[in-house]
Amino acid sequence: MNTTEPRTVDFWFDPICPWSWMTSRWILEVEQVRPVWTRWHVMSLAILQENPRLPRAYQQMLLDAQGPARVCAAAQQEYGAELVGPLYTALGSRFHQRGLPQNREVVEDALAEVGLPLSLADHLTLLKHDNALRQSHRAAVALVGDDVGTPVIALEGADEGGRQVAFFGPVVTPTPRGEAAGSLWDGVVLVSATPGFSELKRTRTHGPDFR
């Protein structure tokens, strides 16, 4: 499998997920060392965990944390998909690297950084674009199944038939940089092209390292 041919990657994230953040920083590193271009899409851990068998308090916690995903969905719907990636970076750098709360003040600061109206922060609680959020979420699940978390990435032309192949992950910490990021990408492309490949996993021994 040629890992140096130009390739588009679709990346689904929930802004509150630290593991999505780690992987998103990896794919941006990959863009610097491989001919890769990323399209950003929002999904939701709250939607992923809609299961009546889960504790109600846990489900409510996820619903309460769905606001940043709603804001990203609103930005995509009202101002264009090209702003989703920059907004995610602005939000994630505050939530994960700086440890700031996921409140309106912090979200407004992120919106200002990317030149978006502060009024988009209204969507922390508005349901106006929830259908769009669910459609984006379902697009990821349709590719990879619902027995996953975030992030989900899909590679264009990854299998022998040139079709899109999707999977959860890779989950990695700390974020590989430079050619180390490219080497991990090469491995991801290789396993994605293997017919029938579905899972490679081990127990996590470290939390996300945001350095």
Side-chain angles (χ1 to χ4, degrees):
M1 170 62 63
N2 182 6
T3 60
T4 61
E5 65 181 66
R7 199 177 299 274
T8 299
V9 176
D10 287 288
F11 192 112
W12 281 267
F13 65 91
D14 186 320
I16 70 168
C17 176
W19 297 107
S20 282
W21 178 250
M22 300 300 298
T23 307
S24 73
R25 300 310 93 181
W26 162 72
I27 201 65
L28 290 179
E29 286 286 317
V30 172
E31 289 187 345
Q32 304 306 308
V33 295
R34 297 291 187 272
V36 168
W37 178 67
T38 308
R39 294 185 296 212
W40 301 93
H41 312 273
V42 67
M43 63 186 299
S44 169
L45 288 170
I47 297 173
L48 201 62
Q49 299 293 337
E50 285 180 338
N51 186 332
R53 291 174 294 181
L54 290 174
R56 183 172 298 178
Y58 177 67
Q59 292 186 65
Q60 188 60 51
M61 177 195 70
L62 290 175
L63 286 170
D64 291 342
Q66 199 173 20
R70 289 193 175 110
V71 172
C72 288
Q76 190 274 329
Q77 290 295 303
E78 297 183 14
Y79 295 96
E82 68 276 4
L83 289 169
V84 174
L87 178 57
Y88 177 34
T89 290
L91 290 169
S93 64
R94 287 163 173 77
F95 296 162
H96 305 299
Q97 291 187 232
R98 293 165 59 185
L100 298 177
Q102 297 161 15
N103 61 22
R104 184 180 182 106
E105 180 182 2
V106 173
V107 170
E108 286 184 347
D109 189 50
L111 289 165
E113 179 181 312
V114 297
L116 284 168
L118 303 191
S119 59
L120 278 176
D122 293 345
H123 294 277
L124 285 165
T125 54
L126 291 178
L127 309 183
K128 178 180 177 181
H129 295 297
D130 270 23
N131 283 340
L133 173 58
R134 285 183 175 275
Q135 288 174 5
S136 181
H137 180 94
R138 285 196 294 266
V141 171
L143 288 169
V144 77
D146 58 6
D147 187 25
V148 296
T150 60
V152 169
I153 70 173
L155 283 64
E156 221 173 53
D159 72 359
E160 292 179 347
R163 294 176 292 264
Q164 194 175 47
V165 174
F167 50 85
F168 160 59
V171 175
V172 60
T173 189
T175 298
R177 303 293 180 182
E179 189 53 34
S183 295
L184 177 56
W185 168 258
D186 296 343
V188 167
V189 173
L190 178 64
V191 298
S192 298
T194 303
F197 174 80
S198 61
E199 188 170 357
L200 184 66
K201 187 174 182 179
R202 64 180 175 182
T203 301
R204 297 177 193 172
T205 57
H206 301 284
D209 181 350
F210 299 125
R211 290 175 294 175

